[in-house]
Amino acid sequence: MDLTCYDDFRRVARRRVPRLAFDYLDGGSGTEAGLVESVAAFERIRLIPESLVNVDQVDTSCELFGHRFAQPFGFAPLGLTGLIWPGTDMLLAKTAVERNIPHILSTAATTTIEDISRASGGHSWFQLYVARDEAVADDIVDRVDQLGVDVLFVTVDVPVPGRRLRDIRNGLKLPLQPSLRLAVDLARRPSWCAALARSGAPRLANLERYADPAATAGQLAAFMATQSSGRLDWAVLERLRKRWPRKLVVKGILSPQVAARSKEMGADGVVVSTHGGRQLNSAIASIDALPAIRAAVGPDFPVLIDSGVRSGEHVAKAIARGADFALMGRLPLMAIGASGGKGLALAVDQVADDLARTLALLGVTSLDQLGPHLVAS
Ligand code: FNR
């Protein structure tokens, strides 16, 4: 088997997935220096192994928001996943159940939260993009509430979308715009085209009902664009906090002050994130922002991290630096793109194995023994 790590999955996915979809997943904003840095910052961290410890039994299970998970990592929310490979949201949800790790469905997913909730027996959580129209935002929250979803992630780092040059150059838009370039691109990816033909074109399934039912696909896309909100501020977040009865997590934080204020406001956790290097290109890497955020919120407040997590070793570094949990966006999607879906469970198992191996090599047997004392400063 030649799919041994993130770079392998990425290399094969690049061959199997149409260029405009691969670039949508792989790309970042601006020069993409922020995207490169998000991974490089993980790689720069050096650890200090402690030997002469019996590591026959290593336990990587951990608790988060009242659930006991098999691993301290899960699937980050991703929009338009159906573009990478049809059926991706459902595959992520089902694999998350099988492997007992969390899955978060995006507002911009290509499958509805109702379908995902049914298929996963309520296991999946939900990520909210707060719509400009208050009635739409409230209705989404109420739908998710009625389904009994346990945790709502409110993404706060998209006041405007980052400028993603690859998408601009590729003319990425929904519905896909016919062009000679796209036709040539698709002709070279027959298995992707066959999968798409079976499942239909990707659609923003959670949001469709709020647009005019008579709208054309183009009008629908334009409506969705107007729904992204630059108006999300503390007042809006506080209103959401009052409306949503269960766990609320603020996703997309790099500032210790914003993390501390989220906690004061009643959030149940934060996700330290650069949105995978897709928003502010010059943002600090999340793994570098993490220690100050942990210090600002104290030792017991749930802190999750994403952006640049490519291996179990990265997960171990995140926890050693103060995170409780890591999320991965591109890694599972590259695994799906590389394999038409079959590689997803393999990728999860590889990350889990790499994490357990890292713990053993460090001389620790459980996640609570990871800490800054193992990080070379
Ligand atoms: C994202 N991300 C994202 N975040 C979110 O809150 N809602 C969303 O709909 C999306 N959509 C999305 C699409 C794609 C293609 C990517 C790559 C990312 C951000 C995502 O949740 C997460 O923060 C990053 O993906 C983490 O970085 P890595 O693991 O991809 O490096």
Side-chain angles (χ1 to χ4, degrees), residues 200-287:
R203 21 180 224 109
L204 294 169
N206 285 309
L207 299 171
E208 278 177 339
R209 65 169 75 181
Y210 304 112
D212 178 353
T216 63
Q219 287 166 334
L220 182 65
F223 167 79
M224 296 311 170
T226 63
Q227 284 303 312
S228 84
S229 172
R231 289 192 194 155
L232 174 55
D233 58 12
W234 287 108
V236 175
L237 192 61
E238 276 162 27
R239 207 177 63 77
L240 274 171
R241 175 62 288 187
K242 292 201 180 95
R243 194 172 188 95
W244 174 256
R246 289 180 290 281
K247 303 279 184 202
L248 185 149
V249 179
V250 182
K251 175 175 182 285
I253 287 183
L254 294 165
S255 146
Q257 290 78 18
V258 174
R261 187 160 169 194
S262 298
K263 181 183 172 189
E264 267 166 40
M265 191 248 2
D268 298 289
V270 291
V271 184
V272 181
S273 172
T274 65
H275 210 102
R278 297 161 81 79
Q279 288 299 102
L280 180 66
N281 180 33
S282 298
I284 181 174
S286 20
I287 188 69

Side-chain angles (χ1 to χ4, degrees), residues 24-25 76-79 106 108 127 129 155 251 273 275-276 278 306-310 327-330:
Y24 163 67
L25 173 63
L78 273 81
S106 163
Q127 172 268 327
Y129 276 134
T155 297
K251 175 175 182 285
S273 172
H275 210 102
R278 297 161 81 79
D306 73 23
S307 302
V309 176
R310 302 285 183 262
L327 300 174
M328 301 179 300
R330 290 185 182 83

Side-chain angles (χ1 to χ4, degrees), residues 50 80 183-184 217 252 258 280 297 309 315 321 348 364:
E50 295 186 340
L80 275 186
V184 172
V258 174
L280 180 66
V297 297
V309 176
V315 175
R321 273 212 159 168
V348 171
V364 305

